[in-house]
């Protein structure tokens, strides 16, 4: 009976080991796929940030740090553009309000002129 229990335990452990091996292969495949996607993304970013380097122009090698700095610069410029757009919208709104006020004053002035005539 003890021998049977040991055999069953060994069989269970063998199955667990097989399952662990299968999971490890899946994880390795997922990691390899993720690495390929990262490399593809990096290549795409380099191509966008530095077309000359992506085209392989001599002397135009770009480091990852340069790409990161370029992405940061683009992000900062984007943020500044959004802030500028917001200020311009606020300015436009203010000017439209003033224009409506002036138009109302002109109408009141015209009305007063007509009454005086």
């Amino acid at each position: 009976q003890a021998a049977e229990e040991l055999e069953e335990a060994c069989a269970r452990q063998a199955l667990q080991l097989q399952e662990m091996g299968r999971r490890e292969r899946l994880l390795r495949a997922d990691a390899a796929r993720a690495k390929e996607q990262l490399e593809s993304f990096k290549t795409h970013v380099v191509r966008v940030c530095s077309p000359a380097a992506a085209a392989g122009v001599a002397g135009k090698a770009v480091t990852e740090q340069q790409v990161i700095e370029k992405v940061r610069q683009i992000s900062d410029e984007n943020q500044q553009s959004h802030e500028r757009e917001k200020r311009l919208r606020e300015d436009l709104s203010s000017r439209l309000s003033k224009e409506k006020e002036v138009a109302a004053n002109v109408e009141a002035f015209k009305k007063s002129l007509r009454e005086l005539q």
Side-chain angles (χ1 to χ4, degrees):
Q1 184 179 2
E4 286 178 17
E5 288 176 2
L6 281 175
E7 285 179 13
E8 288 175 4
C10 283
R12 279 193 305 273
Q13 286 183 342
L15 288 174
Q16 287 176 343
L17 188 60
Q18 284 179 334
E19 178 63 17
M20 288 173 61
R22 186 185 71 79
R23 287 181 182 174
E24 182 181 5
R25 285 189 302 279
L26 289 173
L27 288 172
R28 286 184 191 274
D30 287 347
R33 206 168 21 259
K35 185 177 180 181
E36 289 171 6
Q37 290 174 340
L38 175 62
E39 288 302 318
S40 174
F41 177 72
K42 282 171 47 179
T43 301
H44 183 71
V45 170
V46 168
R47 198 175 297 132
V48 169
C49 292
S50 181
V57 175
K60 292 287 185 178
V62 177
T63 66
E64 284 186 27
Q65 187 60 37
Q66 288 171 316
V67 171
I68 291 168
E69 288 303 318
K70 183 68 173 180
V71 169
R72 281 189 183 134
Q73 177 189 351
I74 291 169
S75 177
D76 290 345
E77 289 171 359
N78 187 33
Q79 181 65 31
Q80 290 170 359
S81 293
H82 284 296
E83 290 170 3
R84 183 169 184 262
E85 179 185 0
K86 182 181 175 185
R87 285 192 308 271
L88 288 172
R89 286 182 186 275
E90 290 169 354
D91 187 41
L92 179 61
S93 177
S94 173
R95 288 180 184 211
L96 287 173
S97 294
K98 287 179 183 177
E99 187 178 309
K100 286 179 183 177
E101 184 181 334
V102 168
N105 289 339
V106 166
E107 286 302 315
F109 182 69
K110 285 180 182 179
K111 181 180 176 186
S112 294
L113 280 177
R114 282 193 297 272
E115 288 172 359
L116 284 174
Q117 289 176 344

